[in-house]
Amino acid sequence: MLALLAAVIAVARLHTYHEPLQTDVTGAAVLAREMLGGRALYADLWDHKPPAFHASYVAAVALLGCGPAAVYALGVLAAVATLVGVYAAGAPLSRTAGLWAAAFWTAASGDVWLEANQPDAEVFVNAGVVWAFALLVRAGAGAGAGRFLAIGALFALASLYKQVVIAPAALLALAHVAWPPEGRSRRRALADVAAIALVGAAAWAATLGYFAAVGRLDAFWESVVVYNRFYTRNMLTFVGRAFDVYHAALEPGLRTLVLLGLPAAVGGLLAPLAIPRRPRGLWLALLLATPVAIGLHGQFFPHYFQLWFPVLVIGAGW
């Protein structure tokens, strides 16, 4: 069934294979071509996204050239990776719940109103967050350190696409401590969170160290940190606006999110007897974190709202 759903995603996106692309996507493809030609990111080539986004495009352009094939392949690969992650996140309740979550993801993940059929940074962020959530929700009393190091690596990698991942990472960590797996103490859960945070800190330290070693630390810092402080100057205002569900529901471009929100509310909020306390607590943490992550941008563009998809499709599957 997952293979069939993956094929549906791949075939459906052929319909928009030659559409005019969103500017972040075309910019990333051109920057990737120039990086392969020897020009330096942040120094010769400017952008304010972290480097993992550009590394993905460099790999795709190196394999498939600077054209629609590279963009299509990245979009399908990220969507299929998230498809399997959504199933893994939903299946602890039942295999049927996981398959329904995967089906909802297949139907929604290419939404053209939200530019979700194009591989902007959000598609990679969603993949990382979904898999981190899946590993958390499936953690048992005997879960080893390796699981939480992997969760830390997933959050760290997602943050190297967009720093707004700090919101779901922090709130899911708090939920893990508040509702630890049955038989696992809160002290042990705090150690798990420390492992997650350590991996994230190490990943960013390594990134800073790399740019320092190649002599581009100032350019990296000005682009990814200083400029983004300006970009997100209205952060608190937009975090508040991201919680305004009533007015969001009136936006034509968000109609898919509204339709997903109805079964998600039933699954995540109104079925306490069917859903154990820990999965529901983690889901509520992700539900709260999502509008925070969207608002942290300090602006609203359609593709930012793709961050709603993981929590809604998992709740709808449940």
Side-chain angles (χ1 to χ4, degrees), residues 183-238:
R184 198 177 188 89
S185 68
R186 280 201 170 87
R187 180 177 295 180
R188 184 75 181 275
L190 282 170
D192 301 335
V193 170
I196 294 171
L198 181 64
V199 174
W204 274 90
T207 301
L208 291 170
Y210 167 78
F211 283 103
V214 298
R216 282 183 274 150
L217 181 59
D218 288 345
F220 170 81
W221 190 265
E222 288 177 4
S223 301
V224 177
V225 178
V226 176
Y227 177 81
N228 280 335
R229 289 176 184 163
F230 164 78
Y231 189 86
T232 60
R233 63 194 181 278
N234 297 318
M235 182 189 301
L236 294 179
T237 299
F238 278 83

Side-chain angles (χ1 to χ4, degrees), residues 134-153:
L135 290 178
L136 270 174
V137 83
R138 299 170 77 97
R147 175 179 292 268
F148 298 98
L149 293 173
I151 292 168

Side-chain angles (χ1 to χ4, degrees), residues 1 3-4 73 98 171 258 273 284 303 305:
M1 181 60 71
L4 176 61
L171 286 173
V258 174
L273 297 179
L284 287 171
H303 52 277
F305 291 89

Side-chain angles (χ1 to χ4, degrees), residues 24 48-49 114-115 120 122 126 162 231 257 290 293-308:
D24 288 351
H48 64 115
K49 288 186 176 67
L114 301 183
E115 301 165 348
D120 211 329
E122 284 71 21
N126 280 342
K162 270 200 172 179
Y231 189 86
L257 299 180
T290 298
I294 293 169
L296 285 178
H297 290 90
Q299 302 187 44
F300 285 158
F301 287 105
H303 52 277
Y304 295 168
F305 291 89
Q306 294 174 42
L307 298 179
W308 273 114

